[in-house]
């Protein structure tokens, strides 16, 4: 077993990894859209009616709920869609 397999064979580690990956993926998506449309942190925060520190917290710490995700993307001119992949394909039972 290699390091990758060893790491992902632990359900607790896999769960944390998947949570962190979701946060990173969302933050990267928002950053790409902000760059694409030349929208800065101050402008997006103002559009959302929040302070810049709150926006940084959402994007950096992942402390964000689906409504806030949708609101953020709305102010960038987008809607949000979700998809899911079975964890079983990674060798972990769904109840782990």
């Amino acid at each position: 077993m290699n390091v990758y397999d060893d790491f992902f064979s632990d359900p607790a580690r896999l769960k944390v990894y998947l949570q962190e990956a979701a946060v990173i993926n969302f933050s990267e998506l928002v950053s790409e859209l902000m760059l694409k449309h030349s929208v800065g942190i101050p402008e997006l925060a103002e559009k959302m009616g929040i302070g810049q520190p709150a926006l940084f917290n959402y994007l950096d710490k992942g402390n964000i709920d689906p409504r806030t995700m949708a609101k953020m993307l709305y102010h960038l001119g987008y809607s949000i869609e979700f998809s899911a992949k079975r964890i079983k394909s990674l060798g972990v039972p769904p109840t782990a």
Side-chain angles (χ1 to χ4, degrees), residues 35-56:
L35 282 172
K36 180 178 181 177
H37 298 288
S38 301
V39 175
I41 293 282
E43 182 182 352
L44 182 56
E46 183 178 334
K47 286 181 177 184
M48 292 180 65
I50 61 174
Q52 292 179 42
L55 183 55
F56 277 118

Side-chain angles (χ1 to χ4, degrees), residues 23-35 59 73 76 78-81:
V23 169
I24 290 167
N25 289 339
F26 182 76
S27 293
E28 287 179 352
L29 171 65
V30 170
S31 295
E32 289 171 11
L33 294 174
M34 289 173 68
L35 282 172
L59 295 174
L73 291 177
L76 290 168
Y78 291 83
S79 65
I80 191 167
E81 294 182 10

Side-chain angles (χ1 to χ4, degrees), residues 23 27 51-64 72:
V23 169
S27 293
Q52 292 179 42
L55 183 55
F56 277 118
N57 189 48
Y58 289 143
L59 295 174
D60 187 45
K61 305 290 186 205
N63 186 15
I64 189 169
M72 193 178 293

